Amino acid sequence: MRPILTDPFNRTIDYVRLSVTDRCDLRCFYCLPEGTHDFIEPEEWLTFDEIERVIAAFSSLGVRRVRVTGGEPLVRKNLADLTARLSQLPGIDDLSLSTNAVGLARHAQALKVSGIERLNVSLDTLRADRFKEITKGRLDKVLAGLIAAKAAGFAPIKINMVVMKGINDDEVEDMVEFCMEHDFTLRFIETMPMGETGRHATDHFVDLQEVKQRLGQRYELIPGIMPGGGPARYVQVAGTDLRIGFITPISQHFCETCNRVRLSVDGTLYLCLGQENSYPLRELLRSGVDDEGLKSAIMEALTLKPERHEFREKPSQVVRFMSFTGG
Ligand code: SAM
């Protein structure tokens, strides 16, 4: 029988979001502000050995899913070496990656071979000029990354689009057609007030219930399901394979089914995306803690997991940017 890790609210925690860097090769205006320089120094990054140890400890406590994220995970050198190690860990049976896909054309094949099956790609617009405005980067690189990911055999590939009023909300239907054509799954995400940038983004907040209604006028949407353990609520477009997920942390929060914790690159365990509760693991790892001590620390950290975020009630509470915590 596998052990089960639970939190004070009796939720099973079986999922770790692992941030391998706080750096990113894009500067999305709602995430990482331009001109940010105070990144975590390399000596504070967990090494691959340290990451493997922490994930092994989580796995022996009952975690079976790991999503590698960042910042932009592909900017961490030799990422496929790490994911190969993680995919070999007993008990980890779902290893996935969130990426902006800028560097994916180069790394897709190696990442697939390393044991990553599922891929989430952030893409807020299909227009090159808009992409540049939102991210300061180049859309053609992302599209090349997506083609490479398909060729490498990733399935499913999920496109994550943060829908923002006056920024890209007129592209919702285009994105549906794009995902239909390429056999991607599509997920819409509401803006969250994370850090100064995220709060700025909430000026463009769109309630995804409205987007769903809008799409319902054009397509027949039937309730759908999608494996993956995440918070998205899915519909399927009738007569097609397209599934559309709605991630609604603001309009309809899903904290009661939260199954995850987040490990940042400096070894801090964050217990909730929308609260500051955290537990430092790096010093412990570097002080020579044994495996039992590490597992005890993780269980102690879990007692700090709050019941829910308070993005609505206290929107200025979270000072970390999304790219720091690991989205
Ligand atoms: N670089 C990777 C990527 O692009 O997917 C992983 C990290 S990125 C921070 C993860 C996701 O968080 C992206 O889909 C991004 O659009 C989203 N994100 C960042 N800030 C956000 C905010 N304030 N509200 C909602 N989503 C946000």
Side-chain angles (χ1 to χ4, degrees):
M1 262 261 292
R2 289 197 62 141
I4 295 178
L5 188 61
T6 51
D7 77 354
F9 303 95
N10 224 12
R11 293 172 294 201
T12 299
I13 305 301
D14 65 357
Y15 187 169
V16 173
R17 288 271 178 126
L18 168 68
S19 174
V20 293
T21 180
D22 60 337
R23 297 169 196 234
C24 189
D25 45 3
L26 293 180
R27 288 289 179 274
C28 299
F29 77 90
Y30 58 82
C31 185
L32 184 62
E34 249 190 303
T36 302
H37 294 300
D38 50 346
F39 293 106
I40 297 170
E41 295 300 329
E43 52 284 8
E44 294 175 49
W45 301 349
L46 292 192
T47 63
F48 285 1
D49 284 345
E50 288 168 337
I51 291 174
E52 188 180 4
R53 246 195 108 195
V54 178
I55 299 300
F58 266 111
S59 146
S60 68
L61 288 168
V63 162
R64 53 186 204 86
R65 296 184 163 134
V66 175
R67 172 171 293 278
V68 178
T69 181
E72 170 47 41
L74 299 188
V75 305
R76 178 92 186 234
K77 281 209 176 66
N78 304 321
L79 182 68
D81 293 346
L82 173 68
T83 49
R85 289 166 70 168
L86 299 181
S87 72
Q88 293 302 312
L89 287 174
I92 298 299
D93 51 38
D94 181 19
L95 185 63
S96 56
L97 176 77
S98 285
T99 175
N100 60 30
V102 169
L104 196 55
R106 225 157 18 103
H107 297 292
Q109 189 66 37
L111 289 166
K112 181 73 174 67
V113 170
S114 80
I116 292 180
E117 287 294 332
R118 301 190 301 114
L119 208 58
N120 285 5
V121 172
S122 303
L123 182 59
D124 296 334
T125 174
L126 295 166
R127 302 187 194 171
D129 52 343
R130 240 183 216 184
F131 188 85
K132 178 123 204 138
E133 269 170 42
I134 296 173
T135 71
K136 304 283 175 292
R138 276 178 39 193
L139 178 66
D140 58 337
K141 291 190 176 181
V142 176
L143 298 179
L146 282 169
I147 290 167
K150 255 175 113 168
F154 283 103
I157 297 173
K158 296 180 187 165
I159 302 293
N160 286 342
M161 175 185 187
V162 179
V163 183
M164 294 168 283
K165 203 174 290 295
I167 304 281
N168 65 351
D169 57 334
D170 55 346
E171 281 192 76
V172 159
E173 288 83 0
D174 290 352
M175 202 60 93
V176 168
E177 297 294 323
F178 174 77
C179 289
M180 227 179 251
E181 183 187 336
H182 292 281
D183 210 12
F184 300 141
T185 297
L186 175 58
R187 286 131 49 98
F188 296 117
I189 304 177
E190 288 176 349
T191 52
M192 287 173 263
M194 303 226 20
E196 266 316 300
T197 43
R199 277 187 280 287
H200 177 50
T202 55
D203 296 345
H204 302 280
F205 176 76
V206 175
D207 182 333
L208 290 183
Q209 319 299 331
E210 290 166 22
V211 172
K212 198 173 183 176
Q213 275 172 14
R214 189 168 119 195
L215 290 177
Q217 288 164 10
R218 178 147 166 185
Y219 306 98
E220 186 189 344
L221 304 178
I222 48 182
I225 44 163
M226 185 82 199
R233 295 179 173 87
Y234 282 94
V235 295
Q236 184 155 355
V237 178
T240 77
D241 290 331
L242 179 67
R243 293 190 185 97
I244 305 176
F246 296 85
I247 303 182
T248 55
I250 308 298
S251 67
Q252 213 182 347
H253 78 77
F254 33 77
C255 302
E256 63 285 354
T257 56
C258 185
N259 61 350
R260 64 198 56 196
V261 292
R262 293 177 153 82
L263 182 65
S264 70
V265 65
D266 67 354
T268 307
L269 200 59
Y270 287 98
L271 285 311
C272 173
L273 190 58
Q275 302 275 9
E276 294 290 354
N277 309 37
S278 67
Y279 192 100
L281 289 175
R282 189 184 69 236
E283 287 317 314
L284 195 69
L285 286 164
R286 295 189 180 170
S287 71
V289 68
D290 64 12
D291 289 347
E292 285 313 306
L294 181 55
K295 286 199 274 184
S296 303
I298 289 173
M299 288 194 289
E300 191 182 324
L302 259 287
T303 65
L304 304 175
K305 190 165 168 64
E307 188 171 12
R308 53 180 296 246
H309 69 65
E310 292 166 299
F311 282 139
R312 279 175 96 123
E313 300 86 336
K314 299 182 188 164
S316 26
Q317 174 160 275
V318 178
V319 293
R320 315 178 311 262
F321 310 129
M322 182 75 111
S323 62
F324 176 76
T325 316

